[in-house]
Amino acid sequence: MRRVSRIAVAGVATATLAVSVAACGNSSSESSSNSSSSGGTAKGVALAYDVGGKGDQSFNDAATTGMEKAGKEFKTATTAVEPQDGESDADKVQRLEQLAKSGYNPVIGVGFAYAPAVKEAAAKFPKTTFGIIDDEQVKADNVADLVFHEEEASYLAGVTAAKTTKSNVVGFIGGVDVPLIHKFEAGFAQGVKDTKKGVTVKSQYLTETAAEGGFSSPDKGEAAAEGQIGAKADVVYAAAGLSGQGVIKAAAAHKVWAVGVDSDQYKQDALAKYKKSILTSAMKDVAGAVYNLAKSVHDGKPETGVVRASLSTGGVGLADSNPTFKNNAALQAALKKAEAGIKDGSIKVKTN
């Protein structure tokens, strides 16, 4: 059982991949269109979820969208396996190896925590393509490092916050104090500073390590947001996975703005009751990265090496689903100018 509670999680059909996989992680979803002649599962895309798992309305769910699109389009099997509390790298290795043994290709570790496991499993299964999201340290002929310029989307979120705030205080909440989340904070703070002088950015990290629940604890996110809102922040940006749901909840309760992350959180069913408080979301196309890797394998030309998405490639950006955001002409003009500067290099976005 997962130790975290969600604001809401859509029900999903469950199935075990195999007894051996169930031993090192819970299979949250599995579908199969074909079976191999040996009786195993047909080749298709497999995900090994990051902390927070399916239903985080953010990072993991974006990966799921890409997997499901690939499975439907290519008529192949798909499966996704949940992490377990307190698991080791050895547990992650076992999970990835069982997915590869079962015929899945590609096998994707969702999150930088999978780096050591992907490196080890890829060496044992050289004919299987492995992907890892948010890490570029694994160098192997059969590994694709799927990474993003998160700082660019975060810069635009900072522009948005600076143009929106009335109190001249805005907040950033990071799930875990790691280099990846520093990129979100750095871009956001720079975007605020470059847009409006005199705006204070309050920054806070929920935990030092992922094992402490920084990416998987809505209650921690809510408490942090309550503190920042109490200190007059009227726009709060969270890069905290599932914990960000608590930030959005707090923003809605106090009638201030939240900025979502990774997915267009304004459109997430589980956050529907709060969507009027979600001004925009700093998105990165995790779904597209997963789909593109699956397509490359399906086409017989697997992606390998570092595959980086940016504002210029359309791999990161801001969501415009909220009419309040989309119809603000002054804000949109400022964002257009900032985006052009990032693309032509006249704005150098910081990463730490």
Side-chain angles (χ1 to χ4, degrees), residues 267-290:
K267 297 171 67 175
Q268 295 287 355
D269 290 342
L271 299 171
K273 69 170 80 173
Y274 310 119
K275 73 177 187 178
K276 290 183 179 180
S277 296
I278 303 172
L279 184 59
T280 183
S281 296
M283 299 192 300
K284 58 184 186 183
D285 193 10
V286 175
V290 169

Side-chain angles (χ1 to χ4, degrees), residues 119-163:
K119 182 177 181 179
E120 184 172 336
K124 295 178 182 178
F125 293 86
K127 293 184 179 180
T128 298
T129 295
F130 288 82
I132 181 164
I133 298 172
D134 282 347
D135 183 90
E136 56 183 297
Q137 302 306 310
V138 183
K139 309 299 182 186
D141 290 341
N142 61 327
V143 175
D145 300 301
L146 308 175
V147 291
F148 305 83
H149 280 294
E150 297 92 350
E151 71 279 5
E152 294 180 352
S154 294
Y155 183 97
L156 299 181
V159 173
T160 299
K163 296 290 286 185

Side-chain angles (χ1 to χ4, degrees), residues 223-236:
E226 291 277 359
Q228 291 193 346
I229 294 166
K232 298 187 178 181
D234 59 356
V235 183
V236 185

